[in-house]
Amino acid sequence: MMLIGLGGAFGLVAVLAILSIVSPSEIDIPWAFWFAPVCAVIALVFAWIFYQEVAASDPGDERMQEIAGYVTDGAMAYLKRQYKVVGVFFVVACLLLMFMAFVLEVQHWLVPFAFLTGGFFSGLCGWLGMKTATLASNRTAQGAKNSLNQGLTVAFRAGAVMGMVVVGFGLLDITIWFLLLSQVAPMIGIEIGLVEITVVMLTFGMGASSQALFARVGGGIYTKAADVGADLVGKVEAGIPEDDPRNPATIADNVGDNVGDVAGMGADLYESYCGSILATAALGVAAAFALFTGDKAAQINAGMNLLAAPMVIAGLGIILSILGVYMVRTKEDAGMKQLMGALNRGVFGSSALIVAVAFGVCFLLLGGEDMAAKGISWLGIWGAIVTGLVAGILIGKATEYYTSYDFKPTRRVAESSQTGPGTVIISGLALGMKSTWTALVTVIAAIMVAFAFAGGFDEILLGLYGVGIAAVGMLATLGITLATDAYGPIADNAGGNAEMTHQDPEVRKRTDALDSLGNTTAAVGKGFAIGSAALTALALLAAYVEEVKIGQVREGEVAIVSAYGEAPAMGNTSFIGAGKFAVYEKDAHDPNSKTIGRSYMCLNAEVYKNLKLKSGEKAVKPGDKVTLALGAPDDDSNIRDGTLMLPDGNSVSVAMVASEHASMPQYMDFYDITLMNPKVLCGMFAGVMLVFLFSAMTMEAVGRAAQDMVTEVRRQFREIAGIMEGTGKPDYAKCVDISTAGAQKAMIVPSLMALIVPIIVGLVLDVAGVLGLLAGGLACGFAMAIFMANAGGAWDNAKKYVETGALGGKGSDNHKATVTGDTVGDPFKDTSGPSLNILIKLMSMVSVVFAGLIVKFAPVIGEWIGLGS
C-alpha cells in the first residue's frame, strides 16, 4: 500500500511537470524549483525504507512483545480519540471559512480546502511517527541486548521515519499546492496572481498549526499526568524504580512518551517547517512586486526566484538529512563519547553541508544582474541563512548548558535539594528565568544581522525575507534534527520495556545510555525549534500585512459591484469606508490589466474621515457613490494626488495609493501602527495576557489529570492484593483511560482560546490591535517558552544527577526533593513550554486567515462601540 502511495506521489509530480510545460500560465517555473517536490518524494521513499528496516529487526521475546503491545494499543486508542475531537473542530472551522469565502467574500474560495490539507498532513505525520515509535521500543531493547550500537541503530532509524515523513509531506504539500494554483488553475479558467497564490498557501499553515496545538497540548497533558502520577506514588511513596511493572501508571507513562514527545513533537515541527517556508515565499514575492513596480514580467520572474529559493534549500536539505542519518553509526563496543560523536557527526555534518548547498542555490536563483540592480544581494541572503543556522546552534548549546547535569547550573539545582524541595523549586525557577537572556540575545542578534544582510535597511520586505529564510536555514535539515529528537522517547520506551520484562541489568544500562544521549542531543533540536519559532513568527507579522493588502484588494472588487451592479463604467467610484475607496479602472502601472474595482487608501484620511456637512451629518458614508479625479502615480511612492467631490458641492484634496501597490510603511501609517496608538498597546497587553492564561490553563490541566492519576495508583496499591510482591497484576488500562480522558477534556478550552482571541482582538481593535497582539504574544511567549523549557529540563536532570549516586542517590531525601522539582518541571518542559512555540505562530496564522474579515468589519464594529471608523 505504501509503495502504491509513493508511486502515486512520483506520478503526480511528473504529471504536474508536464502540465507546467503546456500551461498558459504567465508564471514560468525555474528549473531549480523541481528539486523541491522530487526531494520531498525521496524523503517519503526513505521513510518507507527506514520503517522496513525497523520492522524487520528482532522484536524480542514474547513478554517484550506483550508489553510493547500494551503501549501500542494505548497510544493508538488515544490518537483515535484525539482525532475524533480534532475532526469536529476542523469540520466546524472549514464551514466557517466557507461562509467567509462564499457568503461574506472576504477571502479566496480555496482557503477552506488549503486549511484542511494542512491539518490532514500534520495529523498523518503524527500517526505514522507514533506507529513507528511504538513498533521500535521492544526492538530497540532487543538490539541493546546484543550491543549498544544495535540499539542505537534501531532507535535512530525509527526516529528518522518521523523526520522524513514530516519534511516529505510538508514540502510535497507546499509544492503541489503551488503547482496546482500557478500552472493547473489557468488551464481551467481560474485566474490567480502570484501574490495571492502565496497568501492562499499561507492559510494551510493554520490547519497545520491548529492540529499541532491540539497534538502538543493534548499529548503534553497526557504524558505529564501519567509521568507525575507514576513518579509521585511509585518513586516517592512506594520507593520502586522508574518503569517498574508493579506501578499501575507505568504503561500510561510509556504511552505518554509516544503521544506527547513523538506525535505531538512531529506535528509541532511540521507546522514550524511549513510556516517558515510559506512565510518566506510570501515575503519574497511581495518584495519582488514592490521592487519591480511597473514591469510585470520582471515582478513575476524575480518573485518566482525568491519564492523558489526556500523551497529548493528545504528540498536539498532533505538529501543532506538522509546522508546525515547514514553518518550515524559507531563501533559495537562504543562508549558514550563515541555515541555522542556519531550523532553529532550526522547533525552537524548535515548543517555544514547545507551552508555550501545554500551558497549555490542563492547564486543560481538570486545572482542575476536584474536582481542586483534592485538591491537583491544573493550573498547577503546566503549570509542570512548562515545566521539562522548559527543562531540555532547557539540556542541549542545554551539550552544544553543550562539543563545538562554536566554543567554547574543544573548541579546547583541538585545541590539545593539538601535543604528540601522548596529550595529545589526556587533554584529551578531562578535558573529558568536567568537562562532566557542567552536565547533572547541570540535571537535579537540573528534578526538584526539577517535583516541587514538581506538589505532590509533599504527595502524592509527584503530584510523580513532575510529573517524568514534564516528560519528556513535552521530547519532545512529538520529530517535529521527531528530524528535525534524522536529517537529520545523511543530509547526511553526501550528502557521501560527492558525494566518491565526483567532483562539483564546490562540491557537497562545500555538503554539508559541511549536515553541520556537523546536528552543531550535534543537540546540542539530544541534550539532549532525555538529559534525558528521566533524568526518565523516575525516573518508572519509581515505576512499578515500582506494578507491585509489582499483583503483590501478583494474589498475593492466587491464594493464596486455592490454600488454599481455587474456592469460599472470606467471611473465609477464608491466610498468603502474607513479611508478606503473603490475605483473601477485598469492598473495605472499596466494598461493591459483587467478592469476591476481597485481599492485605494487615502493617506490623509483625517481630511474626510469625520468631514461633516452643514447639517452635521457625515459628508460621505460607506457605500456612497462619489466622484474622484486622480492624477498619475508618483514613480517612487505610488501616491496619486486627486480631488474628491462631496455631495454638497464642495471638494477636498486627497493623496491616494492603490492598495495593491502600497508599501509596508504606508500601511503602517494608514492604520496608525505606532506605540502611541492605544489600540496597539492594548493589543500588546492582550498578547501577554493570552500567553499567561494559556500557560496557566495547560498547567492546571496537567495538575488535575495528575491528581486523578495519583488517586487511582494509590487505590490500586491499596486494593489489589500482591502488587508489591509481584503476584498481583495492576490495572494498566484504567490509568491509560484516566490520562486519555483528562487530556481530551482539558485540551479544548486553551486551544480554542488561542484560536478565538486573535479574531476578537482584530474585530474590536482593528489591524493595529492585531499587530500589537502578535508583537506582545511573540515577545512574551518566546521568553516564557525558554524559561519553562529550561527550568523543567534543569529540574529533570537534577533528579537524574542524584540518581547517578550523587548527593545520596536513589531513595534519599535529596532524591525525593528533586523528584518534587521534576514533578513541577514536567508540565513546564513538556506541556506548556513547547505549546507556546505553537501558540505564537498560530496567533499569526489565525490573523492571516481572518485578515479579510477584520479589514471589512473591524471599522464598522469600531464605529458602533465608539473606537473610530
Side-chain angles (χ1 to χ4, degrees):
M1 193 69 181
M2 183 69 173
L3 284 174
I4 295 173
L6 291 172
F10 265 122
L12 179 58
V13 171
V15 168
L16 290 172
I18 295 169
L19 289 177
S20 69
I21 297 173
V22 300
S23 172
S25 173
E26 61 186 5
I27 301 172
D28 292 327
I29 305 290
W31 64 268
F33 170 87
W34 294 101
F35 278 112
V38 170
C39 290
V41 177
I42 290 173
L44 298 178
V45 169
F46 274 89
W48 179 77
I49 291 171
F50 294 148
Y51 178 83
Q52 292 300 314
E53 288 182 14
V54 173
S57 58
D58 188 348
D61 59 42
E62 187 175 335
R63 178 61 176 163
M64 294 170 77
Q65 294 181 52
E66 179 188 355
I67 293 297
Y70 291 147
V71 176
T72 300
D73 291 345
M76 289 303 169
Y78 169 80
L79 213 57
K80 287 177 182 177
R81 286 180 64 169
Q82 176 174 285
Y83 285 177
K84 285 180 182 178
V85 174
V86 175
V88 172
F89 161 76
F90 270 87
V91 169
V92 173
C94 186
L95 292 174
L96 175 60
L97 294 175
M98 286 182 172
F99 178 77
M100 290 170 57
F102 295 105
V103 179
L104 299 180
E105 298 181 293
V106 294
Q107 62 185 202
H108 199 280
W109 63 271
L110 285 168
V111 165
F113 308 103
F115 167 75
L116 286 178
T117 62
F120 172 77
F121 281 112
S122 176
L124 180 61
C125 288
W127 185 83
L128 290 172
M130 197 171 75
K131 182 176 176 63
T132 308
T134 53
L135 183 77
S137 61
N138 54 308
R139 289 167 167 80
T140 299
Q142 178 62 29
K145 288 175 70 172
N146 301 323
S147 72
L148 197 59
N149 185 53
Q150 280 193 32
L152 170 68
T153 301
V154 174
F156 197 74
R157 288 290 190 274
V161 173
M162 179 85 259
M164 289 300 120
V165 296
V166 164
V167 297
F169 281 123
L171 192 56
L172 191 64
D173 194 16
I174 289 171
T175 52
I176 286 178
W177 261 111
F178 177 75
L179 291 169
L180 289 174
L181 293 175
S182 67
Q183 305 300 307
V184 177
M187 300 178 72
I188 57 177
I190 299 175
E191 296 183 21
I192 178 170
L194 188 58
V195 172
E196 191 164 14
I197 286 173
T198 59
V199 172
V200 169
M201 288 172 61
L202 259 178
T203 61
F204 88 69
M206 177 182 160
S209 295
S210 301
Q211 166 62 29
L213 189 65
F214 281 113
R216 255 307 186 191
V217 173
I221 293 169
Y222 183 108
T223 184
K224 292 305 106 180
D227 198 2
V228 169
D231 281 356
L232 285 181
V233 185
K235 286 185 180 180
V236 176
E237 295 182 9
I240 57 179
E242 187 172 4
D243 296 318
D244 192 298
R246 293 172 292 176
N247 192 330
T250 192
I251 293 294
D253 188 11
N254 278 264
V255 170
D257 290 337
N258 290 284
V259 300
D261 296 336
V262 177
M265 177 179 57
D268 180 353
L269 289 172
Y270 178 92
E271 67 98 24
S272 292
Y273 184 73
C274 292
S276 65
I277 295 171
L278 292 167
T280 305
L283 291 172
V285 171
F289 274 67
L291 290 168
F292 291 87
T293 301
D295 188 343
K296 191 172 184 180
Q299 285 178 323
I300 292 174
N301 180 63
M304 263 311 306
N305 287 339
L306 287 165
L307 175 147
M311 298 184 189
V312 175
I313 289 169
L316 295 174
I318 288 173
I319 303 301
L320 299 181
S321 293
I322 294 169
L323 291 175
V325 170
Y326 282 107
M327 289 180 192
V328 179
R329 59 178 62 190
T330 190
K331 298 176 182 178
E332 291 298 323
D333 58 348
M336 281 296 292
K337 186 175 181 180
Q338 289 78 17
L339 286 173
M340 179 61 72
L343 282 183
N344 284 340
R345 185 166 59 246
V347 174
F348 293 121
S350 299
S351 297
L353 289 171
I354 199 66
V355 171
V357 167
F359 185 89
V361 171
C362 290
F363 176 75
L364 287 173
L365 287 174
L366 309 175
E369 292 182 3
D370 56 334
M371 295 281 210
K374 292 292 184 179
I376 300 174
S377 167
W378 69 269
L379 194 59
I381 290 172
W382 174 75
I385 294 169
V386 175
T387 299
L389 277 167
V390 171
I393 293 170
L394 288 176
I395 294 174
K397 288 300 181 183
T399 301
E400 182 182 347
Y401 172 74
Y402 278 107
T403 59
S404 172
Y405 62 65
D406 291 331
F407 302 100
K408 288 183 179 179
T410 294
R411 290 196 177 194
R412 290 196 191 103
V413 175
E415 289 164 2
S416 69
S417 65
Q418 296 175 86
T419 50
T423 47
V424 170
I425 302 300
I426 293 170
S427 58
L429 288 172
L431 179 148
M433 291 176 185
K434 184 193 296 183
S435 70
T436 60
W437 80 267
T438 52
L440 288 167
V441 169
T442 302
V443 166
I444 290 168
I447 288 171
M448 294 306 298
V449 172
F451 188 86
F453 274 164
F457 291 105
D458 294 318
E459 168 53 55
I460 189 172
L461 285 171
L462 274 181
L464 292 168
Y465 178 81
V467 173
I469 208 165
V472 173
M474 277 190 189
L475 296 174
T477 54
L478 180 64
I480 187 168
T481 53
L482 180 53
T484 61
D485 263 1
Y487 146 87
I490 292 168
D492 191 8
N493 264 218
N497 189 284
E499 181 75 35
M500 287 183 277
T501 55
H502 304 293
Q503 300 298 317
D504 188 276
E506 181 64 23
V507 178
R508 182 65 201 240
K509 181 180 178 182
R510 288 172 178 170
T511 58
D512 282 348
L514 293 175
D515 186 18
S516 177
L517 181 69
N519 289 337
T520 304
T521 57
V524 176
K526 284 180 180 178
F528 279 71
I530 294 171
S532 66
L535 299 183
T536 301
L538 179 59
L540 286 170
L541 269 172
Y544 171 69
V545 178
E546 290 304 307
E547 178 61 37
V548 168
K549 176 187 293 188
I550 295 297
Q552 284 199 10
V553 170
R554 189 175 292 112
E555 192 177 25
E557 295 173 3
V558 173
I560 278 293
V561 174
S562 177
Y564 293 95
E566 296 292 338
M570 274 289 285
N572 281 167
T573 304
S574 172
F575 179 52
I576 298 174
K580 294 168 288 184
F581 292 82
V583 183
Y584 193 71
E585 63 173 13
K586 294 179 180 292
D587 187 343
H589 295 282
D590 182 8
N592 298 317
S593 65
K594 182 181 178 182
T595 306
I596 59 172
R598 298 189 180 279
S599 175
Y600 278 84
M601 301 189 304
C602 186
L603 299 182
N604 50 355
E606 69 280 357
V607 170
Y608 68 85
K609 212 170 190 181
N610 295 308
L611 196 63
K612 304 292 180 74
L613 296 174
K614 290 180 180 179
S615 64
E617 295 181 355
K618 284 195 173 181
V620 187
K621 297 183 289 296
D624 282 355
K625 300 175 183 178
V626 298
T627 302
L628 181 65
L630 294 175
D634 180 88
D635 290 339
D636 295 323
S637 65
N638 289 316
I639 293 175
R640 300 178 69 179
D641 293 324
T643 303
L644 171 66
M645 299 299 299
L646 300 175
D648 63 354
N650 292 318
S651 63
V652 61
S653 296
V654 290
M656 312 285 281
V657 62
S659 297
E660 61 197 287
H661 297 304
S663 66
M664 184 167 290
Q666 287 170 336
Y667 273 99
M668 296 297 101
D669 289 341
F670 181 76
Y671 284 106
D672 191 21
I673 313 297
T674 69
L675 289 178
M676 294 299 100
N677 183 350
K679 291 183 179 180
V680 175
L681 286 171
C682 291
M684 292 175 71
F685 280 121
V688 173
M689 174 202 72
L690 182 56
V691 168
F692 275 88
L693 276 180
F694 179 85
S695 300
M697 293 175 76
T698 49
M699 291 282 289
E700 281 183 341
V702 172
R704 286 194 300 269
Q707 284 179 326
D708 292 340
M709 183 66 71
V710 167
T711 300
E712 173 60 22
V713 173
R714 284 173 176 168
R715 182 195 67 80
Q716 292 196 34
F717 275 133
R718 185 174 61 250
E719 297 180 5
I720 299 178
I723 284 186
M724 290 302 292
E725 293 75 22
T727 56
K729 182 180 179 181
D731 186 355
Y732 300 127
K734 180 64 176 176
C735 292
V736 169
D737 187 62
I738 286 173
S739 267
T740 301
Q744 296 302 305
K745 182 179 179 181
M747 75 177 184
I748 296 173
V749 175
S751 299
L752 288 180
M753 184 175 66
L755 291 158
I756 293 170
V757 168
I759 301 172
I760 294 174
V761 169
L763 290 173
V764 175
L765 300 178
D766 210 338
V767 171
V770 172
L771 286 170
L773 173 83
L774 300 183
L778 169 58
C780 179
F782 179 69
M784 181 77 91
I786 296 289
F787 156 62
M788 298 184 101
N790 288 355
W795 277 318
D796 184 14
N797 285 322
K799 175 198 71 176
K800 289 177 179 174
Y801 178 61
V802 173
E803 289 176 347
T804 64
L807 300 170
K810 291 183 180 180
S812 66
D813 288 341
N814 290 352
H815 182 230
K816 292 179 180 180
T818 56
V819 169
T820 301
D822 184 37
T823 301
V824 177
D826 274 338
F828 263 53
K829 68 182 175 64
D830 290 323
T831 307
S832 301
S835 297
L836 286 172
N837 288 338
I838 306 170
L839 176 72
I840 60 180
K841 287 173 289 183
L842 180 59
M843 288 193 296
S844 300
M845 287 294 186
V846 171
S847 300
V848 165
V849 171
F850 287 87
L853 184 77
I854 290 164
V855 165
K856 184 171 183 177
F857 292 106
V860 178
I861 294 173
E863 189 166 11
W864 285 350
I865 61 179
L867 293 181
S869 59

